[in-house]
Amino acid sequence: MGMINSEIKPFNATAFKQGEFVEISEADVKGKWSVFFFYPADFTFVCPTELGDVADKYEELQKLGVEVFSVSTDTHFTHKAWHSSSETIGKINYFMVGDQTGTITNNFGVMREGQGLADRATFLIDPDGIIQAMEITAEGIGRDADDLMRKVKAAQYVRAHPGEVCPAKWKEGEATLTPSLDLVGKI
């Protein structure tokens, strides 16, 4: 699964966002940071906890210039119904993408074979449409929006500071590393 540093593939889909159905494509991703947040299905158990967690960070992500696209193989109509019936999902202001054809899910390589459901997966895309980070977890393991925020900030830092890298557990404002021959064996 060599997805890191690859460009996202073309797609067209309908999403539910802030009370409206909107058409989106890969062109809507280019020129800004984006998160694709795949999950198995609406009206389930772990999924709403994750989507609600990202909703709580959406304003902060927007301030960082990041757009969020949650994606499942449910329809945009199902997303609207879920948004209308769940207090947790009702606070979502980001795109809820209906991928009933499986095009986007297959493009990212996270379709569960024979099930028609997406894996629990997150992809961070840079403004050039290049995948910079990804995370895939098993069905019962929910993701953490705080860690997503850390990864976004690290990816943005590295892009803005060529030649520097962010070590493990790096947080904004902490020291980075500048790989060089002199640093070999010193860490």
Side-chain angles (χ1 to χ4, degrees):
M1 184 176 267
M3 300 288 295
I4 299 296
N5 292 319
S6 67
E7 188 171 0
I8 63 167
K9 296 177 183 176
F11 70 88
N12 289 292
T14 304
F16 177 75
K17 184 173 197 259
Q18 297 179 323
E20 297 182 1
F21 294 134
V22 293
E23 298 301 314
I24 62 165
S25 73
E26 75 283 354
D28 295 302
V29 176
K30 301 265 175 105
K32 66 181 116 224
W33 288 89
S34 301
V35 169
F36 277 72
F37 199 81
F38 291 88
Y39 63 98
D42 291 4
F43 295 100
T44 56
F45 315 103
V46 175
C47 300
T49 66
E50 295 180 308
L51 294 169
D53 191 30
V54 172
D56 292 341
K57 297 292 184 186
Y58 185 60
E59 186 176 325
E60 190 176 345
L61 285 162
Q62 290 276 275
K63 288 178 184 172
L64 294 172
V66 179
E67 188 53 75
V68 175
F69 300 86
S70 66
V71 184
S72 78
T73 55
D74 297 293
T75 68
H76 53 286
F77 299 112
T78 306
H79 294 331
K80 188 227 179 283
W82 196 24
H83 193 273
S84 298
S85 65
S86 166
E87 186 176 321
T88 299
I89 301 306
K91 65 185 177 181
I92 291 174
N93 290 316
Y94 51 77
F95 292 92
M96 298 180 74
V97 182
D99 186 30
Q100 64 270 19
T101 66
T103 300
I104 305 167
T105 307
N106 281 309
N107 283 355
F108 281 87
V110 294
M111 180 69 81
R112 293 180 185 173
E113 191 172 336
Q115 294 184 28
L117 300 174
D119 279 326
R120 202 172 296 291
T122 308
F123 294 85
L124 174 60
I125 317 297
D126 73 16
D128 298 318
I130 307 299
I131 298 170
Q132 294 299 316
M134 61 185 274
E135 175 184 23
I136 302 173
T137 66
E139 174 68 25
I141 303 171
R143 294 159 285 176
D144 183 340
D146 285 329
D147 193 47
L148 173 60
M149 293 296 301
R150 186 190 67 77
K151 289 174 186 173
V152 165
K153 290 175 182 179
Q156 290 181 339
Y157 184 91
V158 168
R159 182 178 172 100
H161 299 89
E164 293 183 47
V165 296
C166 297
K169 298 184 181 181
W170 178 87
K171 299 234 182 337
E172 187 175 29
E174 294 181 350
T176 59
L177 301 171
T178 305
S180 68
L181 185 59
D182 295 337
L183 194 57
V184 173
K186 303 274 196 274
I187 299 174

